Structures are given as structure tokens and as C-alpha cells.
Amino acid sequence: MRLQKFLARAGAASRRGSENLMTAGRVTVNGEVVTELGSKVDPLVDEVAVDGRVVRLADGPVTLMLHKPAGYVTTMSDPQGRPTVAELVPAAEHPGLFPIGRLDRDTTGLLLFSTDGEMGHALLRPRGHVEKVYTALVEGRPSAAQLAHLREGIELDDGPTLPARAALVEAEAAAAALAVLDVPPAAPEGASRQYARACSARARDRSIVRIGLHEGRKRQVRRMLAAIGHPVLALHRDTFGPVGLGGLPRGAWRVLEPAEVHALERAVGR
């Protein structure tokens, strides 16, 4: 079997990612570094390792979820030295682990990771994009007409959006949503201006909107709500397709159950 195909089937990375691992000198076969693409291995005889960790076909791909806290950028490395989500997940144990999509630095909530490149691409491709649901604390209170505008699709600088699910969160549900957003009643000393506004908004003119999207443009929820005149103060992703955070604590991760992986695969027609 070609080495890059072996690595992809074992869940080390996607096929292209496996080629990158090889050319970077991170793959060994029986203790020898192999960089030549097209090299072959016998899965029953040869010992293949990535960064010193033995990889086997029986291991299979790994998909996990992270409850992302604010302050981390969604990348596995950052040349600017900012905190990254790679610091919060077992990247060293699962070579080729990558985030499926992005959450911006200030957004919290569900972020999926996988070593299964094909599923990651399937979940993100525009034609098969699964719904992702967000809870947003916004300035002011959107009117029924403004929410209807979101449901119909609105024009952004990179084109019209697809129709979205959008509704105000009221009463007891709003109190629960504020707890999820984790916005304290008073901003700590040295907090950013936006965070301070979010904290003070708890006691005055603010509301909570739940919005479901079938797209994944950069900062799309924030841009859509700003476009109707209600800038986002705090944002949290609740679900990714059929998968939700449940009681996973902020900053923690867990491997998805087989039933959850199968549900994601069904959602994209795999």
C-alpha cells in the first residue's frame, strides 16, 4: 500500500496532509525516515510512525469536540505567538488533527477536530453545509421585521446570505443563555472595550438572539447582526449539525461517540 494512503486510512491526516507529513520528514518506516511520495509499506509487517508515534490501521480516524473558551485563535500554530486551540486538544497524540472550520478568537462554544480529512471537507463544503446554531448577546432588541430579514437572507459585502433561522430568546431561556455566554455583570480591570460593553449590557439595553446558519463565511454571524443594526457583544456556538456540547465544561474536550460520528456522516450523506 502507498504510504500516504496508509497514513490517511489510519487517520493520521488527509491524503494531502499525509503527503505533507512525509515531505516534512515526520514519517518513519521501521525507524527510517521516508520522504519519497509513492513509497510502499506492508501494513502487516512494517512499523509506521509519525513524530515517533506508531500508527496502525486499526487505530482509525479520531474526531473530537472542544468547548472553546474566548481568547484562543482557531489554528494549530500561530506565527504571532497568540494562544491557539492546539494547546487545548491532544494534538501530539493524534498526528494530523485539524479543526473543522473556525471560531474567531472572541467566540466560545463547540469546535470540532478530526484526523479524517474527507469528513472534514464534507462538513464544510458549501453544497452539503450542515446547520450550526449560535447564541448571540446583541446591542438593542431586533424587531420582528429585522429577524424576518435574517430568515430571508441579507446582502453582505461578499454577497447575499442563505436564509437563516433567527429568533429572540426570552425569559428563563434568556437567563440560561447568559450563563452559557459567561458574561459577568461587571468587566474585570483591563478588559477590552467590547467586553466591558457586553458586561454592562446585561443590566440595560440588550437582547439574546439564537441563529442557525448553513454557511461558514468569516465572522458571518457578527456581520449579519451588525447589518441589521444590532452588533454582537458576545457569541457562542451551541451545535454543529447533530452534535451538541451537552455538559462539556469550557476549555475541555472529548472524543465523539461512534453514534455521534455516524450522525455527522449521515448529515453529509457519507
Side-chain angles (χ1 to χ4, degrees):
M1 183 185 299
R2 287 178 181 266
L3 181 53
Q4 55 263 51
K5 183 177 181 180
F6 171 91
L7 292 168
R9 285 194 177 182
S14 65
R15 186 74 64 88
R16 178 63 60 84
S18 297
E19 293 176 353
N20 292 338
L21 290 174
M22 292 174 62
T23 56
R26 297 171 59 186
V27 180
T28 61
V29 178
N30 301 324
E32 299 292 330
V33 175
V34 177
T35 59
E36 184 177 349
L37 300 179
S39 299
K40 294 187 176 182
V41 294
D42 183 341
L44 299 179
V45 176
D46 296 318
E47 182 180 84
V48 179
V50 177
D51 294 334
R53 177 180 177 272
V54 176
V55 178
R56 300 181 179 88
L57 287 182
D59 291 343
V62 171
T63 302
L64 59 86
M65 68 166 67
L66 169 71
H67 187 160
K68 178 189 173 297
Y72 290 81
V73 293
T74 303
T75 181
M76 300 306 282
S77 63
D78 183 63
Q80 299 178 42
R82 296 171 295 180
T84 72
V85 293
E87 301 167 22
L88 304 175
V89 295
E93 298 176 24
H94 304 292
L97 193 70
F98 66 95
I100 299 176
R102 290 178 177 273
L103 292 178
D104 65 51
R105 183 168 59 177
D106 294 330
T107 300
T108 63
L110 198 161
L111 183 61
L112 291 179
F113 291 76
S114 187
T115 59
D116 186 341
E118 292 181 0
M119 185 172 74
H121 291 308
L123 286 168
L124 295 176
R125 69 175 185 267
R127 187 171 297 179
H129 226 92
V130 300
E131 185 185 55
K132 295 181 287 295
V133 178
Y134 298 80
T135 298
L137 178 68
V138 303
E139 291 185 357
R141 184 179 178 87
S143 67
Q146 290 172 321
L147 293 173
H149 196 186
L150 293 177
R151 297 186 196 111
E152 295 164 1
I154 63 175
E155 188 73 32
L156 297 179
D157 56 8
D158 54 354
T161 68
L162 293 176
R165 289 197 300 121
L168 284 171
V169 179
E170 304 281 14
E172 293 182 4
L178 276 175
V180 168
L181 288 162
D182 196 28
V183 179
E189 184 177 352
S192 69
R193 182 177 301 175
Q194 182 186 43
Y195 193 68
R197 284 164 50 210
C199 295
S200 62
R202 288 193 63 166
R204 53 182 180 80
D205 184 22
R206 55 91 180 122
S207 55
I208 296 174
V209 177
R210 187 152 288 139
I211 183 168
L213 301 182
H214 285 272
E215 299 177 275
R217 304 189 207 176
K218 186 175 182 180
R219 300 176 66 83
Q220 184 173 349
V221 174
R222 295 178 185 275
R223 292 162 58 206
M224 289 175 69
L225 288 165
I228 63 168
H230 297 279
V232 170
L233 298 168
L235 185 62
H236 178 87
R237 182 193 282 170
D238 300 290
T239 66
F240 193 121
V243 177
L245 283 171
L248 187 67
R250 193 180 303 271
W253 63 270
R254 69 169 177 84
V255 175
L256 264 59
E257 299 291 340
E260 292 173 312
V261 175
H262 293 158
L264 285 172
E265 291 177 335
R266 287 195 302 270
V268 295
R270 289 186 73 194

